[in-house]
Amino acid sequence: AATTTEERTADVVVVGAGLAGLSAARRLAAAGRSVVVLEARDRVGGRTLNHPLPGGHVADLGGTWIGPTQNAVAALAAELGLATFAQVDDGDAVYYGHGLRTTYPSGGPTGGAPPDPTILPDLVAVLTLIDQMSTEVPVDAPWDADSAEEWDSQTLDSWLRSHTASPQTRKVASGAFEALFGAEAREISLLYALWYVACAGDEQNPGTFERLIAVQGGAQERRFVDGAQSLSLRMAEQLGDRVALSSPVRQITQTADGVRVVRDRLTVSAAHAVVAVPPTLAARISYDPPLPVARDSYTQRSPQGSLLKVEASYDRPFWREDGLSGAVVSDTGPAKICYDVTPADDALGGLLGFVGGDEARTWGGDHEALKAAVVGQFVTFFGPPAATPREVVVQDWPDEIWSRGGPVHLLGPGLLTQAREAIWAPVGRLHWAGTETATYWHGYMDGAITSGRRAADEVLGA
Ligand SMILES: Cc1cc2nc3c(=O)[nH]c(=O)nc-3n(C[C@H](O)[C@H](O)[C@H](O)COP(=O)(O)OP(=O)(O)OC[C@H]3O[C@@H](n4cnc5c(N)ncnc54)[C@H](O)[C@@H]3O)c2cc1C
């Protein structure tokens, strides 16, 4: 009957079957520990999601690209036998600025940025400074940067205002922040932004802003032939009945001997728990005894960004016939950053518009109006054939109760320097995972994977 409560025991219970939780479970299982993974949704993969397209193709509605220095995700893909392919970057990108459409070579001297003379001097100066300052931010302790307090006392926006001359620079930059963070520059601290840049690398290669935004040589370099969710689907397949779907965890009780994790109609007793969910969802679980104030206060103040994807599919990638790469930088929404998301075999055409931050909050309530507006933008950018897509899909991450937004948490002024290790430090038998606890590639699939492994290692070493 629905009211009976089932009891299970395991060495470790993992909460959340995204890339972090599944990576933790995989490492624990490989070390011979018994594991139960409790996932709230009726699917695995969390912030990655495959959407089926005709002919067995898929569209990525969440996490999509991987790139150089994202070593963990590349190695995992190889281990699971998942093929990747290069993101198309040939031809010209479209810049829509000051009400005019122009084109410029993708990957030209300005990187991904449009060669608009009203923004170029600002951009060159600001990006050089950001990269320089980010080298002073330790990836594993951003609060220890010499200027941490000063940088954490201001928003990225207030810093940009005092370091740029042209309002157009901030207008164009807003599109990048809306796609990168699902936020406006006023919502995050300068220190958080610099830490994010510092984390866009590995032990050998310091992070750079360019690597965050570039296609070739950057975080948008490659895609998965079968969609990024296939990483999680494969791991879950291998973990078999260790993964329990439709199992939202409501309560975690910690005693001297172990943890009891309660989900609807099932209780799991274990020696340790790995909680691999975004902080804003970790905050919705009730803990007994209550968590230390530092941890609780951090999760209260760590919202997810607001990011939607609008994907249109066409019979073919017709814009390539006009020498266009499909990439767009626009100073006007709803979509300000767009990409070609055509499947690997070019059997159909795909265009993606990112709708983030204020644009996401404005348009999230009316998906039909949003679809029409973005298709209208595609017509402006790519011409009349864009008016007749086969299908348009809106993926609204803020509207998903088990994500509450994306792509990542937003840390406002004063939080990093105050929360410090509370972001990832274990509390007794509770270990925290998820891309929000990562160092390198914080916010990305790669960071999610390494965070899960780090939490598993904590348990194995305990
Ligand atoms: C639109 C978008 C685009 C992105 N693009 C990229 C990209 O191109 N490249 C890239 O590397 N990254 C990208 N990302 C980020 C990437 O998707 C995430 O960093 C990564 O998937 C996070 O994995 P995770 O395991 O940490 O968290 P999640 O994927 O959020 O997994 C957490 C899991 O926990 C479950 N859960 C939550 N609460 C509970 C509970 N109480 N009980 C049980 N289960 C619970 C959730 O259902 C979820 O399955 C993007 C994200 C978005 C939203």
Side-chain angles (χ1 to χ4, degrees):
T3 48
T4 54
T5 297
E6 192 195 336
E7 295 265 347
R8 278 169 79 171
T9 55
D11 292 327
V12 187
V13 53
V14 175
V15 183
L19 284 164
L22 293 168
S23 299
R26 191 175 161 83
R27 176 154 292 190
L28 290 161
R33 302 298 164 98
S34 61
V35 188
V36 175
V37 183
L38 298 176
E39 165 55 48
R41 288 175 163 106
D42 61 1
R43 63 166 183 86
V44 298
R47 277 170 273 177
T48 59
L49 178 59
N50 287 355
H51 170 75
L53 294 172
H57 297 94
V58 294
D60 279 298
L61 299 186
T64 303
W65 290 280
I66 64 170
T69 73
Q70 297 182 357
N71 310 311
V73 67
L76 178 65
E79 213 178 303
L80 296 171
L82 293 170
T84 62
F85 67 106
Q87 171 70 27
V88 167
D89 197 28
D90 308 328
D92 289 346
V94 170
Y95 173 47
Y96 187 80
H98 315 279
L100 285 174
R101 173 193 179 280
T102 50
T103 60
Y104 64 102
S106 288
T110 54
D116 176 343
T118 68
I119 66 172
L120 268 187
D122 273 350
L123 271 188
V124 171
V126 160
L127 294 185
T128 309
L129 259 181
I130 284 185
D131 280 349
Q132 246 169 36
M133 289 155 72
S134 73
T135 62
E136 295 170 35
V137 180
V139 292
D140 56 355
W143 42 84
D144 282 346
D146 284 345
S147 307
E149 224 179 281
E150 184 193 329
W151 293 343
D152 207 29
S153 299
Q154 55 190 306
T155 66
L156 176 59
D157 184 66
S158 47
W159 183 83
L160 278 175
R161 278 173 197 273
S162 55
H163 288 82
T164 51
S166 159
Q168 182 68 7
T169 308
R170 293 194 298 279
K171 225 176 147 186
V172 170
S174 79
F177 301 134
E178 286 170 6
L180 267 177
F181 294 104
E184 303 302 325
R186 63 173 187 277
E187 296 176 72
I188 59 176
S189 90
L190 174 61
L191 181 62
Y192 179 51
L194 294 172
W195 182 38
Y196 216 76
V197 172
C199 290
D202 61 14
E203 278 81 4
Q204 283 75 46
N205 305 278
T208 63
F209 188 76
E210 173 73 8
R211 200 176 293 116
L212 278 179
I213 61 161
V215 173
Q216 272 176 43
Q220 282 67 236
E221 191 173 85
R222 302 190 76 76
R223 279 189 281 146
F224 289 93
V225 173
D226 296 320
Q229 192 190 1
S230 52
L231 289 163
S232 293
L233 293 168
R234 286 274 166 96
M235 284 196 282
E237 208 177 284
Q238 294 179 354
L239 287 163
D241 60 11
R242 295 180 184 95
V243 181
L245 300 178
S246 305
S247 301
V249 168
R250 308 292 183 187
Q251 189 193 327
I252 302 181
T253 305
Q254 229 188 137
T255 65
D257 314 320
V259 294
R260 277 167 65 79
V261 173
V262 179
R263 65 98 149 147
D264 302 350
R265 295 191 295 283
L266 169 69
T267 298
V268 181
S269 299
H272 296 272
V274 172
V275 180
V277 309
T280 186
L281 285 157
R284 285 191 161 177
I285 297 173
S286 89
Y287 299 87
D288 180 18
L291 295 179
V293 168
R295 170 78 201 175
D296 184 60
S297 146
Y298 152 66
T299 58
Q300 280 190 55
R301 298 165 65 196
S302 172
Q304 287 289 303
S306 302
L307 187 58
L308 280 67
K309 271 189 167 183
V310 182
E311 300 224 4
S313 40
Y314 297 92
D315 292 336
R316 58 178 212 289
F318 59 86
W319 51 93
R320 293 183 188 171
E321 294 153 22
D322 298 325
L324 298 174
S325 69
V328 179
V329 173
S330 170
D331 68 0
T332 313
K336 295 183 187 162
I337 298 283
C338 304
Y339 287 102
D340 180 323
V341 288
T342 296
D345 63 3
D346 298 344
L348 44 91
L351 287 174
L352 156 70
F354 275 115
V355 178
D358 286 346
E359 298 291 347
R361 290 178 284 254
T362 301
W363 291 92
D366 190 344
H367 291 180
E368 291 314 309
L370 176 60
K371 284 180 193 175
V374 172
V375 168
Q377 288 188 288
F378 289 162
V379 173
T380 305
F381 304 149
F382 303 112
T388 48
R390 282 189 187 174
E391 188 196 13
V392 188
V393 186
V394 172
Q395 175 63 23
D396 189 334
W397 288 99
D399 195 36
E400 296 263 327
I401 58 165
W402 297 111
S403 293
R404 304 186 73 201
V408 66
H409 65 170
L410 306 177
L411 303 182
L415 188 48
L416 258 181
T417 43
Q418 190 208 45
R420 301 169 65 98
E421 288 88 352
I423 295 173
W424 49 60
V427 176
R429 295 168 173 276
L430 307 187
H431 301 264
W432 313 107
T435 197
E436 281 77 13
T437 69
T439 57
Y440 286 113
W441 292 103
H442 186 97
Y444 285 74
M445 296 188 282
D446 188 77
I449 293 164
T450 54
S451 80
R453 293 177 181 166
R454 188 259 312 136
D457 288 343
E458 283 171 13
V459 170
L460 293 171

